Amino acid sequence: MNRTAPSPALPLPPATGGRREGDPPGRLAWAALDRPLPLESGGVLPEVRLAYETWGRRAPDGSNAVLVLHALTGDSHVAGPAEPGHPTVGWWDALVGPGRALDTDRWFVVAPNVLGGCRGSTGPSSHRPEGPRWGGDFPYLTVRDQVAAEAVLADALSIGRWAAVIGGSMGGMRALEWAVSRPERTGSLLVLAASAAASAEQIAWGALQVSAIRSDPGWRGGHYHDAPPGDGPHRGLGLARRIAHVTYRSEPELASQFGGREQAGEHPWRGGRYQVESYLDHHAAKLVHRFDAGSYVTLTEAMNGHDVGRGRGGAARALRRARMPALIAGVDSDRLYPPSQQAELASLLPGADRLRTVESPHGHDGFLIETDQVGELVRELLAGGPGGGPAR
């Protein structure tokens, strides 16, 4: 049995599963930066635009704006159905809408697609100003570069200060960077399942995934975007997703759900798969049809370079800048971003009172799955956070 073959239920994988020019816009809007973006690593991005979505109505003074930041393979589609322009259901759909935790009768919710992403924002699959796609020549980005671009988006929306900045995992890294680099623009903060800096183990997992993609013959140094279907780096991207997904879930959950059982109609001794292999294959097949391998590399490398204390005298000193009300939460079964890392954040941020815990059997993905518990944290934050009084 060929275990690398695409699922028979899906068409041949495209060279990139990211958004292409001419695709339906769905709910997307765009903001173009009016100047080149200087990068922390040196050089500039000459042209940048960010795709974003909004829910609710902006107050005349912009004081009701909440910034929601997505994780690695997420996008701006926080809420709403899968539809033309949006290949998946909103990743926090249960949290956004009238009467929900992010109550759109009160709050103006803004969610950008991250710089370097593939759902409408400038990234490796984008065309350069002179025409060709960036591909493998797309510059190295840091979390600080991504937040710098988001600050220009805030300017374009006439939002001088967010009532709250909220994010989990990679989005939590950006939320922390907002709080440290722009505390005057961050009214309150919710960070879920993220750390002050990438650990050696997190970097190792990310490096394995990047290596899987770059080892794919279809990678072509990152210049593959115009290849025909089936001729891009979908095998490497699928392998990267398999590796990542194991770290996203907990061992007890995998043991309970799959154990060592074989997939129905297959036998591992005769070329078949275990159930857990079929599960990972399923998630890999879905991702290669909706994401771009170049963006996966770019964003993973940005996460690996995350360090809120770099050039600021270390994390403890940097985090003292962020004095706004803050809630820091970890998932009790998270083995990728263990709660000890969030406990450190909670102890170092002046506006945080204690570590909050999301109870879940689902590991790191618990911050996406346990929407009732996350919703309660969002409500607490928007009601005033640990310091009391309305967030403003």
Side-chain angles (χ1 to χ4, degrees), residues 258-331:
F258 305 112
R261 295 183 292 276
E262 64 195 52
Q263 180 70 0
E266 302 183 23
H267 196 296
W269 295 6
R270 291 184 285 275
R273 299 171 297 173
Y274 292 98
Q275 287 183 8
V276 70
E277 290 181 275
S278 175
Y279 168 75
L280 296 176
D281 289 348
H282 170 72
H283 283 279
K286 287 201 305 182
L287 187 74
V288 301
H289 283 82
R290 71 168 182 85
F291 212 77
D292 177 61
S295 282
Y296 198 102
V297 168
T298 295
L299 301 183
T300 300
E301 290 186 329
M303 293 174 70
N304 279 357
H306 167 61
D307 182 354
V308 77
R310 182 176 58 250
R312 295 167 173 161
R317 183 174 180 181
L319 291 169
R320 284 199 294 270
R321 304 181 183 188
R323 309 194 69 84
M324 70 290 298
L327 294 181
I328 308 300
V331 181

Side-chain angles (χ1 to χ4, degrees), residues 248-268:
Y248 294 160
R249 310 305 281 234
S250 74
E251 191 280 333
E253 179 195 19
L254 295 178
S256 172
Q257 188 170 355
F258 305 112
R261 295 183 292 276
E262 64 195 52
Q263 180 70 0
E266 302 183 23
H267 196 296

